[in-house]
């Protein structure tokens, strides 16, 4: 039996198809703190987002910076209202799905919720089966791990899936050199057999009798 709000296959969360979409995203890399990596995000002629650049492990002169070599992109938080920051309620979906085309580097998917600790991120490896080709990657929300500043937290808490604030992709594989990954969309999704964390039996199609 489907929930009170009715079963939904998917909920669009973010896209990178137009210049307008581009304005809803933010990018960063260690250059922001004095490092030497480069990162850029642009819309391709085919209407997809291309996140690319060059990773450098060279440390800046500032001795307080102990490591370098990362790049990230994420959606910008929605504008605040009198009720707070609007968020995505993903609780009725089992998977975070991304339509991507990447290289062979080790990317992570990041989810930020509207929690107390602003630097907390829920992360999961973005496993690409066919580098260089488009594919849809589906990651169960329950498989994301709580991290803070890139470190796995000893006290793991359940993701507040009713209040997903931002989603994004990061690269921090500690490998120098170029990177490139394309993204078309990110959605919260179910299969026909799931409704959030519950299993579901899809309704049978009515068979019309013919005489």
């Amino acid at each position: 039996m489907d929930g009170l709000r009715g079963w939904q296959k998917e909920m669009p969360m973010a896209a990178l198809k137009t210049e307008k979409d581009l304005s809803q995203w933010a990018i960063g890399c260690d250059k922001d703190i004095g490092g030497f990596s480069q990162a850029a995000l642009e819309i391709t002629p085919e209407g997809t987002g291309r996140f690319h650049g060059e990773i450098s492990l060279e440390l800046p002169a500032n001795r307080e910076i102990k490591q370098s070599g990362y790049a990230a992109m994420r959606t910008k938080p929605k504008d605040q209202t009198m009720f707070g920051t609007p968020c995505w309620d993903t609780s009725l979906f089992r998977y975070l799905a991304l339509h991507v085309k990447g290289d062979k580097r080790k990317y992570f998917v990041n989810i930020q919720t509207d929690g107390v600790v602003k630097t907390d991120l829920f992360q999961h490896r973005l496993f690409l089966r066919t580098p260089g080709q488009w594919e849809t990657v589906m990651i169960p929300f329950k498989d994301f791990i709580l991290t803070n500043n890139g470190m796995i937290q000893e006290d793991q808490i359940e993701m507040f899936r009713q209040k997903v604030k931002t989603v994004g992709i990061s690269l921090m594989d500690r490998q120098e050199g170029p990177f490139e990954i394309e993204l078309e969309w990110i959605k919260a999704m179910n299969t026909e057999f799931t409704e959030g964390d519950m299993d579901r039996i899809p309704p049978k199609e009515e068979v019309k009798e013919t005489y």
Side-chain angles (χ1 to χ4, degrees):
M1 181 177 179
D2 294 339
L4 294 176
R5 287 166 56 180
W7 177 82
Q8 293 174 274
K9 181 180 180 181
E10 61 187 44
M11 177 181 68
M13 296 175 66
L16 266 171
K17 300 178 182 180
T18 66
E19 293 295 329
K20 184 179 179 180
D21 292 336
L22 199 61
S23 68
Q24 304 301 312
W25 289 78
I27 65 170
C29 64
D30 58 74
K31 184 179 179 181
D32 302 331
I33 57 170
F36 300 94
S37 296
Q38 302 282 342
L41 180 61
E42 61 194 17
I43 300 297
T44 67
E46 293 74 33
T48 61
R50 177 173 174 253
F51 182 50
H52 63 102
E54 186 97 10
I55 295 296
S56 170
L57 300 182
E58 185 179 349
L59 291 173
N62 183 350
R63 293 185 178 181
E64 293 182 5
I65 306 299
K66 300 299 183 184
Q67 68 177 30
S68 192
Y70 67 85
M73 57 183 279
R74 64 163 175 79
T75 56
K76 294 177 181 177
K78 298 175 184 177
D79 292 335
Q80 280 198 319
T81 69
M82 61 183 296
F83 303 106
T85 303
C87 296
W88 291 291
D89 181 355
T90 63
S91 60
L92 294 181
F93 301 89
R94 186 169 297 188
Y95 304 96
L96 185 74
L98 305 91
H99 193 53
V100 292
K101 179 173 73 171
D103 51 27
K104 294 183 178 181
R105 302 194 64 152
K106 296 178 182 177
Y107 297 91
F108 280 81
V109 181
N110 307 318
I111 294 177
Q112 180 190 26
T113 62
D114 194 17
V116 177
V117 183
K118 302 304 180 186
T119 50
D120 277 353
L121 281 179
F122 289 88
Q123 295 189 298
H124 194 284
R125 266 286 304 275
L126 179 59
F127 290 106
L128 300 176
R129 298 182 300 275
T130 56
Q133 300 179 37
W134 283 100
E135 59 184 292
T136 299
V137 180
M138 297 176 66
I139 306 170
F141 282 104
K142 278 196 164 186
D143 288 356
F144 280 80
I145 300 295
L146 176 63
T147 69
N148 189 289
N149 292 319
M151 302 295 292
I152 297 176
Q153 297 301 286
E154 186 174 336
D155 295 325
Q156 290 290 312
I157 60 173
E158 189 173 342
M159 184 192 301
F160 190 19
R161 281 158 56 180
Q162 292 89 341
K163 289 281 188 178
V164 171
K165 190 175 179 180
T166 70
V167 291
I169 295 172
S170 61
L171 175 63
M172 41 190 178
D173 60 2
R174 308 289 296 154
Q175 299 292 321
E176 290 197 321
F179 69 90
E180 180 175 333
I181 186 168
E182 289 186 51
L183 172 71
E184 186 177 15
W185 50 254
I186 299 176
K187 300 176 181 179
M189 291 192 74
N190 282 313
T191 69
E192 62 176 332
F193 300 104
T194 69
E195 184 174 3
D197 292 333
M198 296 187 298
D199 294 330
R200 171 181 182 268
I201 300 175
K204 293 182 181 179
E205 293 185 9
E206 293 184 10
V207 178
K208 295 183 179 179
E209 296 182 4
T210 55
Y211 298 94

